[in-house]
Amino acid sequence: QVQLVESGGGLVQAGGSLSLSCAASGRTFSSATMAWFRQAPGKEREIVTAISWSGGTTYYADSVKGRFTISRDNAKNTVYLQMISLKPDDTAVYFCAAKGGYYSVSASPYTYWGQGTQVTVSS
């Protein structure tokens, strides 16, 4: 069992930066693939980025490449999302998710989800 709690969301102006954290409980965190998804009002949940258990493999959606960075600290059971050059289109609720095995760009294979944190980027 893994419980995920996101933090760090907020309101930022376009061009600004934010960092999100996802703290996990449960002994399986270090072997889990972790991902960040986001969901804007009226839109489907979409993957933002993912990272393998070792941190050696990462995936980024085209829309965030070069602006967002995912990382993890298995000793602290935490995964991070650093976001720079934020755009109004990045406004969404951001969710942390975990699964075993290789990452998936679809939401359904992820077993565990956080409650989400709001990120709002003003123009």
Side-chain angles (χ1 to χ4, degrees):
Q1 188 80 7
V2 177
Q3 293 182 323
L4 305 173
V5 179
E6 302 97 335
S7 61
L11 173 64
V12 65
Q13 288 188 331
S17 302
L18 273 178
S19 291
L20 306 183
S21 297
C22 173
S25 62
R27 60 183 180 177
T28 59
F29 172 83
S30 61
S31 62
T33 289
M34 302 298 297
W36 288 95
F37 283 77
R38 67 186 181 187
Q39 189 166 18
K43 295 187 177 181
E44 292 187 355
R45 191 169 297 190
E46 63 175 4
I47 190 166
V48 175
T49 179
I51 188 167
S52 63
W53 68 272
S54 67
T57 299
T58 56
Y59 166 87
Y60 293 94
D62 288 343
S63 58
V64 306
K65 281 181 182 176
R67 300 189 299 121
F68 290 13
T69 302
I70 190 171
S71 61
R72 66 189 296 164
D73 186 336
N74 287 343
K76 296 183 178 179
N77 278 12
T78 302
V79 63
Y80 305 96
L81 179 62
Q82 293 182 300
M83 305 181 290
I84 66 172
S85 303
L86 283 161
K87 306 174 182 179
D89 284 349
D90 294 319
T91 296
V93 177
Y94 283 70
F95 298 90
C96 178
K99 68 181 296 292
Y102 205 64
Y103 74 84
S104 171
V105 298
S106 298
S108 56
Y110 289 82
T111 308
Y112 303 105
W113 290 86
Q115 81 288 352
T117 185
Q118 177 71 47
V119 172
T120 302
V121 184
S122 63
S123 57

